[in-house]
Amino acid sequence: MDIWAKVKGIAVVLGLLAAGPSGAQELSGLARLVPEASRIEASGAGVAVDLAISQPVPWRVRVMDQPPRLVMDFREVDWQGIGTLDKGGLAGLLAGTFRPGWSRLVAELPGPMAVVQAGMATEGVTRVTVRLEPVSAEAFAAKAAQPEPQEWALPKPADLPKAEPRHDGTLVVVLDPGHGGIDPGAERGPVKEADLVLTFARELKELMMRDGDTIVVLTREEDVFVPLETRISVARAAGADVFLSLHADAIAEGEAVGATVYTLSEEASDAAGKTLAERHDRADLLAGVDLTEQDDMVARVLMDMARTETEPRVARLAEALVAAIQGQELRMHRHPRQEAGFSVLKSPDIPSVLLELGFLSSERDLKRLQDKAWRAKMAAALREGLRGWAKDEAARAGLR
Ligand SMILES: [Zn+2]
């Protein structure tokens, strides 16, 4: 069968949405998962997914490759409680907001499998059922490669044009709160990295905007998934002078404590940095973004040239931030300045750094991150570091 589930309810619900606000009101708020009535279980050699949600919504299902996974998109569903479900042999399960208005559920499959049955039926609750059966690697690849039908295409990751540089002395700072939506980042009990760094980004923005000569743009303003590539796009569109990605990841290896400034390098300075960069890429990939790069030789050479010019500026930026954070006597990692292959830092011409404000895996860092006074001190340090760096760079440019 077609990998796209064609469900009777879809046309009706879409009709309602198309009827405008008055029609849409007939949908009573957000659909939500009913975890106690949902299950995922092994069924023969395959997997049976049976989800109960509070009301019918437009949805679709498909498989994607590398790694093999089941991807289901729904018009806004609150997935609270999904973590309590048994995974029924699935390697992993992610659920959350994908784009505003769309929720995504991603299940990592134990091997190549095809959707042999998919449906949505409403009797009291709405049941979404999907059956998967093992298939050959070739058959799976063919199904995974099928393009998205136009009527279901989600908005593409923003490909925003680069803004012209400003010459009026305004400092344009793009703050990138890591993770979001389907990708919560590190989690510790009820605390999510995605929420902590968004809160911090908003506070830092508010502080820096008070200066009057600074414009601050956030790569996400709410709890939504933003592909890494789009984060770079946002920086380019804003005409960013500087890009600061904000994180508070968890590290299993050793006792990582304190703020750490990362700059881009093919070679990570340690195993933890390598793991972090890989984890960020993997979350991006699992959420369903195609990372296939255009292999354009000329573009790559130009990018390398731009990077060569940007590199010393990035090094000075990292040093300025470390000095400013130390100046405020805030806790830093014993190696405060590190390198790793973070994809989000790959803008060739915008100085970009990634700051781990602290690590959720550390009890002390967790406490600090939740302390408003600590965050205010950190925000003040970053403001000072960014402004000092920008002033220094302007002076250097003037000398050239
Ligand atoms: Zn992170």
Side-chain angles (χ1 to χ4, degrees), residues 62-395:
R62 68 167 303 174
V63 289
M64 287 184 176
D65 204 354
Q66 290 175 336
R69 59 206 194 276
L70 173 75
V71 177
M72 299 164 81
D73 288 316
F74 298 82
R75 264 283 173 205
E76 293 196 271
V77 173
D78 178 350
W79 293 111
Q80 191 137 22
I82 190 95
T84 63
L85 298 189
D86 186 86
K87 292 187 183 65
L90 296 173
L93 199 59
L94 279 175
T97 313
F98 180 62
R99 300 247 184 281
W102 285 95
S103 314
R104 174 165 279 197
L105 190 143
V106 181
E108 277 187 78
L109 300 170
M113 289 188 175
V115 175
V116 293
Q117 188 204 323
M120 179 184 277
T122 301
E123 280 171 54
V125 291
T126 298
R127 307 209 74 87
V128 181
T129 49
V130 175
R131 298 283 173 272
L132 295 137
E133 293 289 344
V135 289
S136 69
E138 296 74 40
F140 181 79
K143 293 222 179 260
Q146 283 186 27
E148 318 233 85
Q150 197 52 47
E151 70 268 30
W152 280 111
L154 293 181
K156 287 226 177 332
D159 184 18
L160 306 164
K162 187 171 189 324
E164 288 298 312
R166 307 169 66 106
H167 295 291
D168 59 357
T170 308
L171 174 65
V172 182
V173 179
V174 170
L175 298 177
D176 173 46
H179 313 278
I182 189 169
D183 168 21
E187 288 176 286
R188 183 142 180 199
V191 182
K192 288 193 291 177
E193 178 188 358
D195 296 340
L196 280 181
V197 294
L198 179 58
T199 299
F200 182 77
R202 285 177 178 149
E203 290 168 355
L204 178 55
K205 175 180 177 172
E206 211 227 286
L207 176 72
M208 293 202 75
M209 291 290 274
R210 277 188 227 154
D211 284 325
D213 60 352
T214 307
I215 293 174
V216 182
V217 174
L218 265 52
T219 55
R220 67 178 176 92
E221 298 274 357
E222 51 191 328
D223 189 20
V224 291
F225 173 76
V226 179
L228 297 176
E229 222 180 274
T230 301
R231 296 171 192 259
I232 292 177
S233 249
V234 169
R236 296 176 65 79
D241 294 308
V242 56
F243 177 89
L244 178 59
S245 191
L246 298 163
H247 288 260
D249 284 280
I251 288 185
E253 303 91 32
E255 251 290 273
V257 185
T260 315
V261 175
Y262 279 95
T263 53
L264 179 68
S265 165
E266 300 283 322
E267 289 285 312
S269 36
D270 67 2
K274 189 165 184 277
T275 308
L276 284 181
E278 283 168 1
R279 211 186 287 159
H280 285 183
D281 279 358
R282 184 163 174 79
D284 205 58
L285 175 74
L286 279 182
V289 181
D290 185 6
L291 285 179
T292 47
E293 279 175 71
Q294 278 185 321
D295 194 16
D296 187 326
M297 198 57 186
V298 178
R300 235 185 316 148
V301 169
L302 286 174
M303 261 165 75
D304 285 347
M305 281 170 63
R307 254 186 217 137
T308 308
E309 218 171 89
T310 311
E311 238 168 273
R313 305 187 62 214
V314 173
R316 291 193 291 266
L317 171 62
E319 278 151 28
L321 292 179
V322 168
I325 296 169
Q326 281 170 339
Q328 287 277 357
E329 291 177 352
L330 290 156
R331 179 62 194 257
M332 288 214 87
H333 192 273
R334 60 199 165 91
H335 302 297
R337 168 100 159 67
Q338 304 221 31
E339 299 181 332
F342 288 107
S343 294
V344 80
L345 301 180
K346 287 183 178 169
S347 284
D349 50 355
I350 300 170
S352 305
V353 299
L354 185 145
L355 173 66
E356 295 284 355
L357 289 158
F359 293 94
L360 275 195
S361 38
S362 151
E363 192 73 52
R364 282 168 293 168
D365 278 355
L366 174 66
K367 256 178 105 174
R368 284 189 271 259
L369 287 159
Q370 290 177 299
D371 175 5
K372 201 171 168 150
W374 182 89
R375 292 199 307 268
K377 223 170 155 188
M378 177 58 91
L382 296 178
R383 171 186 168 270
E384 197 185 298
L386 288 167
R387 289 181 71 84
W389 168 81
K391 209 173 143 196
D392 184 46
E393 293 300 308

